[in-house]
Amino acid sequence: MKDCNCIFCKIIDGKIPSAKVYEDDKMLVFKDIEPKAKVHLLAIGKDHFKLLSEMDKDRAELLSHMFSKIPQIAADNGCQNGYRLVINQGDDAGQTVFHLHIHILGGEQLPW
Ligand code: 5GP
Ligand code: ZN
């Protein structure tokens, strides 16, 4: 992570500022800089990898941890009435940051 030229690793390291809403030893959640819904958070793990296809046991445990935390984080940040999770994978999905991240969208009725 230290020598990684990745914008989200830099956010984890505090080299780029972000509006953090949750942090623990394994993950960070912060507000998306260009929100696509009233509430738009990004959940990232403190382990740099790009795609679900790079999954191994440790990464599976990390994602399990992240998914277990997200419901409370969403509820605490204005998504009491539901929310949508999005994980863009690769070019056709429009992935722009190549550090696996989970979009948390809500705070309003979302269009499909
Ligand atoms: P992707 O398109 O890769 O699934 O999502 C990347 C997301 O990261 C986009 O929604 C974009 O707005 C957000 N983003 C990119 N750079 C930054 C940044 O420096 N800070 C924050 N908070 N969000 C960012
Ligand atoms: Zn990274």
Side-chain angles (χ1 to χ4, degrees), residues 29-100:
V29 184
F30 54 98
K31 294 183 182 176
D32 194 293
I33 206 166
E34 279 181 46
K36 279 96 184 163
K38 238 180 210 169
V39 176
H40 188 173
L41 306 174
L42 297 171
I44 62 176
K46 293 184 175 178
D47 171 27
H48 177 93
F49 66 105
K50 174 180 168 185
L51 294 166
L52 290 169
S53 56
E54 298 166 61
M55 189 63 57
D56 61 17
K57 190 169 170 288
D58 287 346
R59 289 169 178 169
E61 276 173 21
L62 171 60
L63 282 178
S64 169
H65 174 77
M66 291 170 73
F67 281 116
S68 76
K69 293 290 178 187
I70 281 172
Q72 190 62 56
I73 295 165
D76 290 345
N77 286 278
C79 298
Q80 299 85 346
N81 206 34
Y83 55 92
R84 180 175 297 153
L85 302 181
V86 173
I87 308 179
N88 289 324
Q89 295 289 278
D91 293 337
D92 279 3
Q95 186 176 6
T96 57
V97 178
F98 298 108
H99 180 129
L100 191 123

Side-chain angles (χ1 to χ4, degrees), residues 1-2 4-20 23 28-33 42 44 97 99:
M1 209 145 62
K2 285 249 176 311
C4 186
N5 193 28
C6 159
I7 207 165
F8 286 175
C9 283
K10 287 181 179 157
I11 285 175
I12 290 165
D13 290 343
K15 291 176 187 152
I16 293 177
S18 67
K20 292 179 194 175
E23 181 166 19
L28 178 66
V29 184
F30 54 98
K31 294 183 182 176
D32 194 293
I33 206 166
L42 297 171
I44 62 176
V97 178
H99 180 129

